[in-house]
Amino acid sequence: MATAIHPAAPARPIAAAPSLRALVGVAAVLLGTFTALVNARLTEIGLADIRGALGIGADEGSWITTAYITAEVAAIPAAVWLRGILSPARGVLLGSLLFTLFSLAAPFSPSLTVLLMFQALRGLSAGVLIPMAYAVTMRHLPQPMRLYGLSFYALISAFTPSLSVSIEAWVMDHFTWQYLFWLNVLPGTLTLFAGSYGLTRDPIKYMRFRRPDGFSLIALSLGLAALVTALDQGNRLDWFASGLITGLAASATLLLGGALVHALLHHDPLVDPRLLWRRNTGLGLFMMFLTRIAVMSSALVLPQYFARVQGYRALESGSVFLASALPQLLLMPLVASLCYRVDPRRLLVFGAALQGVGLLMMAGLTSQWNASQVLVPLVVQSSAAPFLAIPIMVLITEDISLREIPWIASLVHILRTVGSAVGVAAVGTFVRVQEQVHSNLLGQHVTTASIQATQRIETLSQMFSSRLPEIEATRAATALIARTLQREAFVLAYRDAFLLLGILMLASILIAFGFRKTMLPGKLL
């Protein structure tokens, strides 16, 4: 790998500062992106209240989140196509307008079917809005400032899984479930008006309506929707034991395979998969995919630990995530500045190592850990995020041209969404299976043949006998031991998950050594 410091690197030109309108426009699209990403899994903590209001069960309620993320990823191909016709600015305005309107209307849903419809429409709006952020940043900021703009874009993606827990917990503690949707109206409106003021709107290219790549548009949208739906519902339906998951997986394979072959043969594909063949782009997107799995998995496992083991309320666990996420905001400009002076590959190695160490620290988890003990490993993981997200953006950008920015934006968003779904599905399934394994192993030591177990039950029975009949006291003692065993089985399963994720991130360091040496920080930055 090249040396870290490059004193011979050519001096970068000093560009004029961007106008106020440009800064407002970029801030608008970043705010809209943040709002849409926070909503991707915003309803998970509040699902109990939503299910109660609509009179539905847990299985039916699980589709509320699935509807949003499935529609979001399905809209990405259409966003690429619309960007070439309407311009990124109009894409931002259209997406923010629809997202705001549907968020305002969703709480008035009289049934689950109507709510799922609004969730899908909100997801479609977000899928149109989010891919535009990359293009808007590159278009409206001068070259020396693009990296800082893209850093905010990357940081938002890394920051939201932790912050969404805090936001939703605060909403549910102070308001009703309807405000999970209504609070989006204010940032959505700000995005709409600020974007109208600050974003440059190019002429509409009506002629491009005549020559869409229709097959890619349909096959890619439906294939991604089928894939994400299968991933999000697979753990609940026991994967391929379910005919629905099997059918969705087969459909995703056929549709995405067909879209890939078609794109390779088409002279002007909707999204060119040949970008993945480029060394830095392919490795960068793969590294982004692995990082997303680790980030989402940690954001999934820890709230479960706090709720199941420590009995924390959502707001109590959410405050831990909020505090741990603050280092990302402080480190973002520092890491962006370092990318002009230090080989991005070295920063990437440091970030992957730091993330791996933070996850391995969590592998020492016990049922006695409280928020203060979890905070240190979380801060380590949070500090690693800028060292991963920003260098990856630099390395990817080195291999593309301005014409290819929409393709990269779409691929980044596809991998972010699919990576999130893979992380939640894989770790959720892993924890469930490991909990069953550990529960079985622990249970083998708590039998009538175990002297220690028998003595413990007798001791607990005597404690309960003062207020319960003898038979009920024995049952209460046995139930307490059963709950203790289940708690410890969950803790051991969570430890296994963090150990696996830590090893994965440390192994990903090898990817950094495969990147091609770049100019600092890339021809477009």
Side-chain angles (χ1 to χ4, degrees):
M1 188 177 290
T3 56
I5 307 298
H6 294 258
R12 303 193 64 81
I14 299 176
S19 66
L20 176 62
R21 293 177 69 95
L23 290 176
V24 170
V26 172
V29 73
L30 291 177
L31 175 62
T33 300
F34 170 79
T35 306
L37 289 178
V38 165
N39 274 260
R41 294 192 177 272
L42 188 62
T43 57
E44 289 186 341
I45 294 176
L47 272 179
D49 287 49
I50 296 175
R51 294 199 308 264
L54 297 178
I56 58 177
D59 288 342
E60 296 169 297
S62 67
W63 288 97
I64 296 174
T65 298
T66 302
Y68 184 97
I69 62 174
T70 298
E72 179 189 336
V73 74
I76 297 174
V80 179
W81 178 57
L82 288 173
R83 180 215 176 267
I85 298 172
L86 301 178
S87 80
R90 290 189 179 87
V92 170
L93 298 179
L94 176 63
S96 59
L97 174 62
L98 295 177
F99 187 83
T100 302
L101 292 177
F102 296 140
S103 294
L104 184 64
F108 296 104
S109 302
S111 65
L112 176 63
T113 301
V114 177
L115 180 59
L116 291 179
M117 179 193 70
F118 279 121
Q119 275 289 84
L121 291 172
R122 282 173 10 102
L124 287 171
S125 306
V128 171
L129 169 64
I130 296 173
M132 303 295 175
Y134 193 109
V136 166
T137 301
M138 297 292 285
R139 166 72 185 276
H140 287 77
L141 293 181
Q143 187 168 355
M145 292 191 65
R146 287 175 185 166
L147 179 55
Y148 293 94
L150 292 180
S151 298
F152 276 108
Y153 174 70
L155 185 65
I156 286 172
S157 181
F159 189 72
T160 46
S162 298
L163 192 60
S164 62
V165 177
S166 302
I167 293 175
E168 184 171 357
W170 183 84
V171 171
M172 294 307 299
D173 197 66
H174 292 84
F175 302 99
T176 60
W177 66 267
Q178 289 91 340
Y179 285 87
L180 294 173
F181 301 94
W182 286 338
L183 283 183
N184 296 300
V185 173
L186 177 59
T189 304
L190 288 175
T191 299
L192 183 61
F193 283 101
S196 299
Y197 169 76
L199 296 177
T200 301
R201 291 183 288 280
D202 298 323
I204 298 177
K205 301 177 179 64
Y206 292 101
M207 295 299 293
R208 294 196 178 184
F209 276 110
R210 296 185 176 182
R211 46 187 178 88
D213 183 4
F215 181 84
S216 289
L217 186 63
I218 295 173
L220 195 55
S221 294
L222 294 180
L224 289 171
L227 175 62
V228 170
T229 303
L231 289 170
D232 203 58
Q233 290 290 324
N235 186 36
R236 184 180 67 85
L237 298 175
D238 199 18
W239 295 103
F240 295 108
S242 165
L244 175 62
I245 299 302
T246 302
L248 288 170
S251 300
T253 301
L254 291 174
L255 289 166
L256 294 178
L260 175 62
V261 172
H262 177 79
L264 291 173
L265 298 177
H266 199 276
H267 69 282
D268 186 21
L270 185 70
V271 178
D272 194 347
R274 296 177 185 85
L275 289 175
L276 300 175
W277 277 223
R278 298 179 189 176
R279 185 169 167 184
N280 280 13
T281 302
L283 289 176
L285 291 173
F286 182 57
M287 188 74 173
M288 184 181 295
F289 178 75
L290 294 179
T291 301
R292 192 67 186 177
I293 290 176
V295 169
M296 285 303 301
S297 300
S298 182
L300 168 74
V301 171
L302 274 176
Q304 289 184 0
Y305 166 80
F306 283 130
R308 287 174 173 171
V309 177
Q310 295 295 344
Y312 278 23
R313 294 163 52 247
L315 187 61
E316 293 172 315
S317 61
S319 62
V320 178
F321 284 96
L322 179 59
S324 68
L326 293 178
Q328 297 182 38
L329 295 174
L330 300 176
L331 286 172
M332 186 281 301
L334 172 63
V335 177
S337 178
L338 284 175
C339 283
Y340 285 110
R341 299 168 176 82
V342 179
D343 190 331
R345 297 173 296 176
R346 288 186 177 271
L347 297 176
L348 193 56
V349 167
F350 177 75
L354 197 62
Q355 180 83 349
V357 169
L359 289 166
L360 291 179
M361 290 171 67
M362 288 298 302
L365 187 72
T366 72
S367 59
Q368 305 304 313
W369 279 31
N370 55 30
S372 60
Q373 291 168 298
V374 170
L375 184 60
V376 174
L378 272 180
V379 168
V380 173
Q381 295 176 50
S382 176
S383 301
F387 289 95
L388 289 167
I390 299 173
I392 287 175
M393 298 297 291
V394 171
L395 292 164
I396 289 175
T397 305
E398 176 69 21
D399 270 2
I400 65 172
S401 63
L402 286 172
R403 175 180 175 272
E404 295 165 339
I405 286 176
W407 292 342
I408 284 295
S410 63
L411 287 172
V412 165
H413 190 41
I414 287 172
L415 285 176
R416 184 200 65 79
T417 306
V418 174
S420 298
V422 168
V424 171
V427 173
T429 301
F430 180 81
V431 168
R432 174 172 58 84
V433 172
Q434 289 300 103
E435 186 274 332
Q436 294 170 353
V437 170
H438 288 300
S439 182
N440 181 57
L441 293 175
L442 291 173
Q444 292 178 9
H445 298 281
V446 184
T447 64
T448 55
S450 171
I451 297 175
Q452 293 88 346
T454 303
Q455 291 176 343
R456 182 60 177 165
I457 291 176
E458 291 177 354
T459 302
L460 292 173
S461 298
Q462 292 174 2
M463 292 174 55
F464 293 129
S465 62
S466 61
R467 60 180 185 276
L468 293 174
E470 182 178 350
I471 295 178
E472 294 296 328
T474 302
R475 289 177 180 174
T478 304
L480 178 59
I481 289 179
R483 289 195 298 271
T484 302
L485 288 178
Q486 185 181 46
R487 181 196 68 189
E488 294 303 320
F490 271 123
V491 171
L492 291 172
Y494 296 146
R495 289 176 58 152
D496 292 343
F498 283 119
L499 177 62
L500 179 64
L501 292 170
I503 293 173
L504 175 67
M505 287 308 302
L506 291 178
S508 71
I509 292 174
L510 298 175
I511 299 175
F513 293 96
F515 284 98
R516 176 174 55 82
K517 179 182 176 181
T518 67
M519 292 290 291
L520 298 180
K523 58 186 178 182
L524 298 179
L525 301 174

